[in-house]
Amino acid sequence: MLETDSQFPPQSLSGIDDVVIVGGGLAGLFCALRLAPRPVTVLAAAPIGQGASSARAQAGIAAALAAGDSPDSHLEDTIAAGAGIVEERVAELMVREAHRRIDDLLSYGVSFDRNGSGNFRMALEAGHSHPRIVRVGGDRAGAEIMKALIATVRETPSIRVVEGVVGETLHTEDNHLTGVTALNRDDGKRYLFPARAIVLAVGGSGHLFANTTNPPQAEGSGIAMAARAGAVIADAEFVQFHPTALAVGRDPAPLATEAIRGAGATLIDENGERFLEGVHPLAELAPRDVVSQAIHRHITAGHEVFLDARAAIGDGFAEQFPTVAGYCREAGIDPAREPMPVAPAAHYHMGGILVDANGRSTIDGLWACGECASTGAHGANRLASNSLLEAVVFAARIAEDIHGLLPHPQAGWTGERGSDGRASSTDESAQIARLRRTMMDDVGVVRNREGLLRALDVVAALEVGGPSLQMANRLITAKLITMAALRREESRGAHYRSDHPSLDAALARRSYLTLAEAEEEVAGLTGYADTPRAAAG
Ligand SMILES: Cc1cc2nc3c(=O)[nH]c(=O)nc-3n(C[C@H](O)[C@H](O)[C@H](O)COP(=O)(O)OP(=O)(O)OC[C@H]3O[C@@H](n4cnc5c(N)ncnc54)[C@H](O)[C@@H]3O)c2cc1C
């Protein structure tokens, strides 16, 4: 295979790995634990716990565990948020299996917050009709869950973790997966990991956009790898933008949680004027997309936008929102006395590798879970705190599926560990920055045909000259998101087209796209060929 130098680590030459999981966030680690004691190799681009959105999650996991709540109600809210295209059977499995996965997390050492009577302390979030969010360590849910899982993974002898390796290419024979090639950042070489089953759990695509809450590793590599191997990608156009990321020059941008607006903070511009009151009856508490679009419009019109918590929260801010207060402190802002600069940021990708209820992709031997997969449970818009839930529910279903399909584990290795990897700098930073700016400007909160065609042209320009495999993967995912957004000529959920601002009932269905179809359509686009390539250069 073209880019394979040798195998890694050399000890694994003894045989084919049984299961390789690419990605060490919540989805990947949970799947590995559920597969134990079957031998599993986890490949992670960064040391596990770093480079994962999971560790950044603040609110918690949605699960209908409170008195008076029910999976049916959770399902109803999930379907309502998904704007007409939720895969209801899949969403139903997700909400019904929530309590079992919470039990698993408890058994892996996660200590969920409890009230005085020893019951879970349940929080309410936008779009949920009951307090339904199980929290850990206040607003540190993701970090605490990952800490517990990493400790359990480290103590599980059947799990080998190889850190600092970036999965780049899936290898298939007759539409059956045979292995994955990964770049080892330490020595710059590529290594082949042959496997009977591969699970992609590499997270989202947020870092393809200039403003994002996602870590740098969330650059859509799973979608690209699977698409290059021929897999179907679903709902790629649906990217959720969080309205209030702190615009303090950090990448990723820290999140100013919705709860701050819930506590009465307002959105103002540089003149101290509120601008959401005329936009939606709920003003600052309008749905995420409405608020994101209003902020986007105001910024595009030349304004600056701030979240003002001075009157509503004031001196109590640091106590109520310690994580956000910490980010502000580092930026020299005192939210009790000053408004916080904010802007929308790419936050969550509803689209991804098309999978069924067992996490199977359209390629034999390839499963996907977590944010890189598209189960259809979120439809066109994700209900808050459903993503950690989706990650654990479908990771567990994949483990069960693999146990059933491959009942006799092959011990391809014997428990040796990979070493911690270092992040390496890239010499492609100018191209990456250009891609991210283009995605934010033309495939961001507000889209139209002209901008989407411009974005496709920039992608084509960046493809010239044979980019590295990692850059090629970024460009492929960017192209799939852009093409899916171009195809959907309506506004639905998180996808807003200024040239098609209404929802079209006839388009209430999921979208499916292969790389071959996208390439063919790009080549045949009217208007596209007329766009001067040099202008995009
Ligand atoms: C700031 C923030 C707050 C959030 N809050 C919540 C919340 O409160 N509740 C909720 O439900 N959801 C929340 N979300 C969304 C949720 O955190 C993510 O959707 C979820 O954690 C994704 O889990 P994952 O395992 O799929 O991906 P990740 O946790 O992102 O893990 C991906 C893993 O894959 C690795 N990787 C990436 N590319 C490669 C590659 N090519 N090769 C090898 N490894 C690779 C990464 O290094 C990482 O180990 C939040 C997201 C953010 C960014």
Side-chain angles (χ1 to χ4, degrees):
M1 278 161 269
L2 65 160
E3 68 281 0
T4 304
D5 302 321
S6 56
Q7 294 201 327
F8 177 77
Q11 298 95 307
S12 72
L13 281 169
S14 56
I16 291 177
D17 276 318
D18 203 43
V19 182
V20 170
I21 297 174
V22 190
L26 179 61
L29 297 188
F30 198 86
C31 190
L33 287 167
R34 294 281 307 180
L35 280 161
R38 176 186 280 269
V40 173
T41 295
V42 176
L43 310 179
I48 51 172
Q50 299 169 31
S53 288
S54 300
R56 300 174 65 81
Q58 291 179 4
I61 306 187
L65 302 175
D69 196 4
S70 68
D72 285 345
S73 165
H74 189 178
L75 179 62
E76 239 172 68
D77 294 341
T78 300
I79 292 171
I85 60 165
V86 166
E87 203 76 70
E88 294 188 15
R89 197 179 59 84
V90 169
E92 185 174 354
L93 288 173
M94 179 177 81
V95 299
R96 292 207 187 288
E97 289 172 20
H99 72 281
R100 270 184 268 157
R101 302 296 75 94
I102 298 290
D103 284 348
D104 289 341
L105 287 167
L106 284 167
S107 77
Y108 298 146
V110 176
S111 28
F112 292 104
D113 294 349
R114 309 239 178 203
N115 59 24
S117 349
N119 297 322
F120 291 135
R121 190 191 297 272
M122 310 296 293
L124 183 63
E125 270 197 295
H128 290 274
S129 41
H130 293 273
R132 189 178 285 145
I133 318 306
V134 198
R135 312 194 65 178
V136 199
D139 62 2
R140 290 182 37 79
E144 293 298 327
I145 292 170
M146 286 300 285
K147 198 167 119 194
L149 254 62
I150 289 168
T152 310
V153 162
R154 300 274 190 219
E155 286 163 6
T156 306
S158 61
I159 302 174
R160 173 179 63 161
V161 179
V162 186
E163 291 158 303
V165 290
V166 184
E168 289 180 333
T169 302
L170 297 173
H171 300 283
T172 53
E173 272 168 31
D174 303 327
N175 196 37
H176 178 85
L177 213 62
T178 54
V180 55
T181 312
L183 178 76
N184 178 11
R185 288 175 188 259
D186 268 352
D187 62 11
K189 289 187 181 164
R190 295 194 167 85
Y191 297 89
L192 172 67
F193 292 82
R196 296 202 296 164
I198 292 182
V199 181
L200 286 179
V202 295
S205 312
H207 222 263
L208 291 177
F209 295 81
N211 294 359
T212 183
T213 59
N214 291 190
Q217 289 74 15
E219 47 185 13
S221 59
I223 292 180
M225 279 190 273
R228 279 171 50 217
V232 176
I233 305 304
D235 300 338
E237 66 273 38
F238 295 111
V239 178
Q240 188 177 74
F241 292 86
H242 197 287
T244 54
L246 290 175
V248 290
R250 284 178 62 163
D251 182 19
L255 200 66
T257 160
E258 248 136 17
I260 300 174
R261 274 173 286 137
T266 54
L267 285 162
I268 56 169
D269 62 19
E270 72 284 4
N271 303 315
E273 306 279 342
R274 286 177 72 185
F275 55 94
L276 262 148
E277 282 173 310
V279 173
H280 193 279
L282 290 174
E284 278 83 359
L285 297 178
R288 242 177 218 186
D289 311 318
V290 175
V291 180
S292 288
Q293 285 156 25
I295 296 177
H296 175 86
R297 272 195 299 274
H298 217 56
I299 291 175
T300 310
H303 294 283
E304 290 171 81
V305 173
F306 301 87
L307 183 61
D308 185 1
R310 290 172 296 181
I313 307 171
D315 285 336
F317 193 94
E319 198 188 325
Q320 283 186 55
F321 301 103
T323 304
V324 182
Y327 290 134
C328 287
R329 201 175 311 117
E330 284 166 25
I333 297 165
D334 175 5
R337 321 243 169 290
E338 298 161 84
M340 298 161 267
V342 290
H347 186 53
Y348 182 80
H349 199 178
M350 278 70 74
I353 303 155
L354 174 67
V355 293
D356 67 12
N358 289 327
R360 291 186 196 179
S361 77
T362 51
I363 294 181
D364 190 15
L366 179 66
W367 284 257
C369 56
E371 199 171 327
C372 70
S374 180
T375 62
H378 306 302
N381 217 345
R382 171 191 67 122
L383 184 64
S385 291
N386 263 357
S387 37
L388 294 181
L389 174 62
E390 188 204 39
V392 291
V393 165
F394 293 96
R397 294 184 73 85
I398 288 174
E400 212 164 299
D401 199 34
I402 290 175
H403 283 312
L405 284 176
L406 305 172
H408 308 293
Q410 287 184 0
W413 56 276
T414 50
E416 75 278 14
R417 301 253 172 204
S419 59
D420 281 5
R422 291 192 306 268
S424 64
S425 65
T426 172
D427 55 0
E428 290 173 323
S429 48
Q431 288 100 312
I432 295 171
R434 184 164 170 225
L435 176 67
R436 295 183 65 200
R437 192 70 260 159
T438 300
M439 292 299 284
M440 196 69 214
D441 291 347
D442 289 329
V443 198
V445 181
V446 175
R447 303 156 169 182
N448 60 43
R449 181 177 170 85
E450 194 188 336
L452 293 168
L453 291 177
R454 199 164 43 229
L456 285 174
D457 221 354
V458 169
V459 168
L462 290 170
E463 278 172 339
V464 173
S468 72
L469 270 174
Q470 279 175 50
M471 190 66 200
N473 279 344
R474 290 182 193 107
L475 293 169
I476 283 169
T477 302
K479 188 187 304 185
L480 288 163
I481 294 171
T482 309
M483 181 49 78
L486 190 63
R487 277 179 164 194
R488 189 172 284 278
E489 296 188 328
E490 63 159 349
S491 292
R492 177 182 297 276
H495 167 75
Y496 182 77
R497 290 271 304 249
S498 58
D499 49 350
H500 295 280
S502 310
L503 186 137
D504 181 348
L507 298 180
R509 53 177 177 264
R510 300 180 67 195
S511 74
Y512 305 101
L513 189 59
T514 63
L515 184 56
E517 285 163 0
E519 305 276 21
E520 199 182 316
E521 262 181 73
V522 166
L525 274 174
T526 14
Y528 174 75
D530 302 335
T531 315
R533 191 74 27 107

